[in-house]
């Protein structure tokens, strides 16, 4: 038995070397590289179970948002709803930036670069240099019109059948006898002494308890659930996490995603924008998406967070053959068409300030297992708003300088506030168990071990000390591979 529901396990005890809570991108990437026995515990089953998903909903007490859209319980975790979009974090994100966070990453960017490469290989990402020459020239022309922006490139972890689903991708990793994945297994308690975890108490779908003992334990249950489990552990056993109590659950952030306006441009201007900013397809697969990001120099100068910008194109219906033919020809070749009749809107992802006022806590309301639900109190800082606002204004200036058009700005985006109507869900949840050099500033150390413990690690978006603008999955996978190397040694 290697992948099986927990109710098929006949015993009431199970022992292994490494126990991993969560089978999302972090948990499965880690398990795939371990050279020792491991058991992965997954609350969900095969595929996305909407009913199970809603049973464990969060309580929202801060800014309105739909956080549970990414709290996916199922083999593969959040990858069940993932688009496959990947980009590594920038060197800027690892710098000491007091206006964004009181402490930076306890890792140098150079220490992470090899792991970004390893993550790209695991995710089977295409070559970032695959941009067609005409598109490269158009992108360079746009960034040359503004000192505020530099090119940004996203790659897609996908195949002809859709975005990568980690449960399917790594199923073969559990064919060997030393790896097991128990699904429909809910972790209800982390049993520990003062500095060391002894076991996990899990229950199957019928409520039958199973004790999972291990030498080492890794929490990889997603940002909110990882924080919830550790907060419950601290409540039940205050001595275990006493050193990190001040930051446990704190520093929660997302990428503040906003609709920044509509572009007004003629056919030539829209053509240049489509060439420079957008998705380049080949044989029906999204291989590369281009956009803009703030330059490090400008972010430092204006004390802004990191941010990126892309354009969303909406095809306008037309019955004219001259408009239809380019779409037909490009589609038949598996390429992205350059459309004459199209509207374009601006989407910005901006980094958030790390603040203890934005947090994950425990609610009074209980879930069906009798455990407190997660209470998520998300806040938005003035610097977050100013970053999005300045990015919008700089892009409006770029359009004018490059002669490609103008921007009809969204009126609800200001320097100190952003109307909820102009926000969109980024589904990029970060923080709660942030990485730090010492326990006064976070929860886990540079090797992702919880400060003050001897055998407990955390991996996932929850450990990010700062968020940057990058989609987090590639960094999550890179950190998981780095942790596997650490545990193997």
């Amino acid at each position: 038995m290697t992948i099986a529901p927990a109710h098929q396990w006949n015993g009431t005890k199970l022992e292994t070397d490494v126990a991993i809570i969560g089978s999302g991108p972090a948990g499965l990437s880690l398990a795939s590289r371990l050279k020792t026995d491991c058991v992965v515990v997954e609350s969900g089953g095969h595929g996305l179970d909407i009913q199970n998903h809603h049973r464990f909903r969060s309580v929202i007490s801060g800014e309105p948002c739909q956080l549970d859209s990414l709290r996916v319980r199922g083999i593969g975790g959040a990858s069940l709803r993932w688009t496959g979009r990947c980009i590594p974090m920038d060197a800027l994100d690892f710098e000491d930036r007091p206006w964004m966070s009181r402490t930076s990453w306890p890792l140098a960017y150079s220490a992470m670069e090899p792991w970004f490469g390893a993550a790209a290989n695991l995710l089977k990402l295409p070559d970032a240099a695959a941009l067609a020459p005409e598109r490269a020239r158009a992108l360079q022309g746009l960034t040359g019109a503004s000192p505020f922006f530099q090119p940004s490139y996203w790659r897609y972890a996908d195949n002809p059948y859709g975005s990568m689903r980690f449960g399917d991708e790594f199923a073969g990793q559990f064919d060997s006898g030393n790896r097991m994945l128990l699904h429909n297994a809910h972790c209800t308690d982390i049993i520990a002494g003062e500095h060391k975890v002894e076991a996990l108490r899990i229950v199957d779908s019928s409520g039958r308890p199973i004790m999972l003992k291990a030498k080492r334990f890794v929490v990889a249950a997603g940002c909110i659930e990882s924080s919830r489990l550790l907060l419950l552990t601290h409540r039940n056993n205050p001595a275990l996490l006493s050193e990190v109590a001040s930051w446990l659950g704190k520093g929660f952030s997302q990428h503040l995603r906003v609709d920044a306006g509509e572009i007004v441009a003629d056919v030539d201007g829209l053509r240049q924008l489509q060439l420079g900013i957008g998705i380049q397809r080949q044989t029906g697969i999204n291989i590369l998406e281009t956009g803009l990001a703030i330059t490090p120099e400008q972010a430092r100068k204006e004390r802004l967070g990191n941010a990126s910008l892309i354009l969303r194109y909406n095809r306008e219906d037309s019955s004219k053959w001259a408009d239809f033919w380019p779409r037909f020809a490009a589609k038949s070749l598996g390429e992205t068409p350059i459309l004459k009749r199209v509207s374009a809107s601006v989407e910005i992802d901006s980094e958030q300030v790390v603040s203890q006022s934005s947090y994950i806590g425990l609610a009074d309301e209980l879930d069906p297992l009798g455990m407190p639900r997660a209470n998520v109190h998300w806040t938005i800082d003035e610097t977050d708003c100013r970053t999005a606002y300045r990015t919008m204004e700089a892009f409006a200036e770029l359009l004018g300088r490059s002669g490609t058009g103008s921007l009809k700005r969204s009126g609800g985006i200001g320097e100190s506030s952003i109307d909820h109507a102009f926000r969109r869900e980024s589904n990029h949840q970060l923080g709660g168990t942030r990485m730090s050099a010492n326990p006064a500033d976070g929860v886990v150390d540079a090797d992702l071990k919880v400060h003050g413990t001897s055998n407990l690690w955390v991996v996932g978006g929850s450990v990010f000390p700062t968020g940057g603008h990058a989609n987090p999955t590639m960094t999550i996978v890179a950190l998981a591979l780095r942790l596997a190397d650490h545990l193997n040694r």
Side-chain angles (χ1 to χ4, degrees):
M1 180 176 64
T2 53
I3 299 180
H7 70 262
Q8 288 187 4
W9 178 253
N10 295 324
T12 58
K13 293 183 180 179
L14 184 61
E15 294 192 20
T16 188
D17 185 5
V18 180
I20 302 170
I21 305 173
S23 72
L28 290 186
S29 297
L30 170 63
S32 73
R33 293 297 188 269
L34 288 177
K35 298 178 180 179
T36 186
D37 294 355
C38 69
V39 173
V40 179
V41 178
E42 170 54 51
S43 175
H46 292 282
L48 180 60
D49 184 339
I50 297 298
Q51 184 177 3
N52 189 40
H53 180 68
H54 288 296
R55 289 175 69 205
F56 299 97
R57 67 185 182 277
S58 305
V59 173
I60 308 299
S61 64
E63 289 285 342
C65 52
Q66 298 177 6
L67 294 174
D68 289 337
S69 60
L70 200 69
R71 287 190 69 197
V72 180
R73 291 173 183 256
I75 300 173
S79 75
L80 291 168
R81 284 186 168 172
W82 186 41
T83 64
R85 196 168 185 252
C86 292
I87 187 172
M89 296 186 78
D90 296 331
L92 171 68
D93 305 325
F94 291 74
E95 291 181 7
D96 187 16
R97 296 175 293 157
W99 63 94
M100 294 303 297
S101 172
R102 75 186 229 184
T103 58
S104 60
W105 287 65
L107 293 172
Y109 178 74
S110 58
M112 280 298 295
E113 277 189 295
W115 299 108
F116 284 135
N121 291 333
L122 182 144
L123 295 166
K124 303 175 184 177
L125 298 182
D127 186 357
L131 192 63
E134 185 181 21
R135 292 180 179 273
R137 288 193 296 271
L139 179 60
Q140 197 60 46
L142 290 172
T143 53
S146 171
F148 193 92
F149 292 111
Q150 62 184 0
S152 197
Y153 304 92
W154 291 265
R155 293 177 282 172
Y156 282 76
D158 62 3
N159 55 55
Y161 309 103
S163 300
M164 178 185 286
R165 299 291 178 252
F166 278 69
D168 297 331
E169 189 72 22
F170 292 104
Q173 297 287 341
F174 293 89
D175 290 340
S176 61
N178 67 330
R179 291 193 181 100
M180 178 183 293
L181 194 161
L182 283 183
H183 58 84
N184 295 104
H186 306 282
C187 179
T188 59
D189 195 12
I190 298 176
I191 302 168
E194 187 173 350
H195 300 293
K196 183 178 180 181
V197 175
E198 304 292 345
L200 304 178
R201 182 180 286 113
I202 61 178
V203 297
D204 64 16
S205 54
S206 68
R208 180 178 65 100
I210 300 173
M211 193 70 70
L212 173 56
K213 293 187 175 182
K215 297 176 183 177
R216 296 174 287 180
F217 297 82
V218 181
V219 181
C223 179
I224 295 174
E225 189 64 15
S226 291
S227 296
R228 183 177 82 129
L229 283 171
L230 292 177
L231 285 164
L232 281 168
T233 301
H234 180 55
R235 175 185 286 187
N236 297 334
N237 187 348
L240 178 69
L241 301 171
S242 60
E243 291 189 30
V244 298
S246 64
W247 270 100
L248 187 57
K250 306 292 179 58
F252 173 74
S253 71
Q254 302 186 83
H255 289 135
L256 184 58
R257 178 170 290 178
V258 298
D259 290 319
E262 302 286 331
I263 291 174
V264 179
D266 58 20
V267 172
D268 289 338
L270 286 169
R271 183 178 188 278
Q272 285 302 112
L273 288 171
Q274 289 178 80
L275 282 171
I277 302 176
I279 295 176
Q280 175 182 302
R281 302 174 186 271
Q282 183 179 8
T283 62
I285 304 174
N286 300 351
I287 65 165
L288 195 63
E289 183 175 3
T290 51
L292 306 175
I294 297 179
T295 64
E297 295 78 16
Q298 204 68 31
R300 298 186 198 104
K301 178 181 177 182
E302 298 191 36
R303 297 173 71 85
L304 302 173
N306 207 344
S308 59
L309 176 152
I310 60 171
L311 300 183
R312 298 295 188 195
Y313 301 103
N314 298 304
R315 178 173 58 84
E316 298 178 355
D317 293 332
S318 173
S319 59
K320 294 183 178 179
W321 177 252
D323 296 329
F324 174 75
W325 169 248
R327 299 201 307 270
F328 174 79
K331 187 174 182 180
S332 65
L333 295 172
E335 299 175 352
T336 304
I338 303 299
L339 305 172
K340 282 187 176 182
R341 297 182 181 274
V342 66
S343 61
S345 59
V346 181
E347 181 179 289
I348 295 170
D349 273 2
S350 60
E351 180 183 18
Q352 286 202 274
V353 167
V354 177
S355 168
Q356 288 184 304
S357 66
S358 190
Y359 62 84
I360 301 162
L362 298 177
D364 293 331
E365 183 181 339
L366 303 182
D367 67 20
L369 296 175
M371 300 167 65
R373 296 189 186 279
N375 170 34
V376 184
H377 189 88
W378 178 45
T379 63
I380 297 174
D381 188 272
E382 184 174 320
T383 301
D384 309 338
C385 301
R386 187 164 58 87
T387 299
Y389 175 81
R390 280 293 296 125
T391 305
M392 177 182 72
E393 290 296 305
F395 186 66
E397 295 168 8
L398 179 152
L399 290 173
R401 289 177 183 173
S402 62
T404 50
S406 61
L407 179 63
K408 184 180 179 181
R409 298 168 178 81
S410 294
I413 300 177
E415 289 189 85
S416 59
S417 65
I418 296 176
D419 192 292
H420 177 66
F422 296 94
R423 298 183 213 154
R424 296 182 58 198
E425 298 294 328
S426 69
N427 293 324
H428 300 161
Q429 299 164 6
L430 308 169
T433 66
R434 73 189 305 260
M435 194 190 310
S436 64
N438 62 73
D441 299 314
V443 176
V444 301
D445 64 18
D447 291 324
L448 306 185
K449 186 161 68 70
V450 176
H451 290 294
T453 69
S454 62
N455 68 339
L456 178 62
W457 289 260
V458 184
V459 64
S462 65
V463 307
F464 286 28
T466 58
H469 75 80
N471 303 59
T473 303
M474 187 175 182
T475 304
I476 289 171
V477 171
L479 288 170
L481 297 179
R482 183 175 178 272
L483 176 57
D485 181 69
H486 172 72
L487 295 178
N488 286 335
R489 289 185 286 107

